[in-house]
Amino acid sequence: MSIKKQYLKSKPICKVTFAITPEDDAAQVSVVGSFNEWSAEANPLKKLKNGTFKGTIDLEKDKSYEFKYLIDETVYTNDEAADALVWNDYAGAENSVVTV
């Protein structure tokens, strides 16, 4: 799992690239979070030949966002490379946090 951040000089935007290699042979992975209203359809990741799923999302700078990966529409997992973990009462679990 990894997160890469690329800040744009011309806009208050950060391009955040999310990548995950699921342990099992997953068919689909999405990144869901506070930036897309936790929608599984909003940010599907593209599966690469090596089995890694990867995708880039433009996020507004100077904010923090909670997120998780949704694997095959059933398994939610955090990113060990996240900036932090935070407890979420609604989910009853910790969520990953990315700060841009």
Side-chain angles (χ1 to χ4, degrees):
M1 292 183 244
S2 70
I3 299 172
K4 287 186 181 179
K5 301 173 189 176
Q6 179 185 6
Y7 292 90
L8 301 183
K9 293 180 182 178
S10 60
K11 298 178 183 177
I13 297 291
C14 180
K15 291 187 170 288
V16 181
T17 301
F18 297 91
I20 180 174
T21 305
E23 292 181 12
D24 297 326
D25 187 30
Q28 62 186 23
V29 176
S30 295
V31 62
V32 298
S34 56
F35 47 80
N36 65 12
E37 298 181 9
W38 300 92
S39 170
E41 293 81 31
N43 298 105
L45 302 181
K46 183 179 179 183
K47 188 172 186 177
L48 306 178
K49 289 181 182 178
N50 66 0
T52 298
F53 287 81
K54 192 174 187 179
T56 302
I57 302 171
D58 291 350
L59 298 178
E60 189 176 332
K61 283 181 12 179
D62 302 321
K63 292 190 174 187
S64 292
Y65 303 89
E66 291 183 34
F67 75 96
K68 283 186 179 276
Y69 295 107
L70 177 58
I71 302 169
D72 288 336
E73 298 183 4
T74 57
V75 177
Y76 288 91
T77 188
N78 285 314
D79 192 322
E80 60 196 32
D83 296 324
L85 294 174
V86 65
W87 181 259
N88 183 293
D89 285 334
Y90 181 77
E94 287 184 323
N95 288 336
S96 299
V97 175
V98 62
T99 302
V100 294

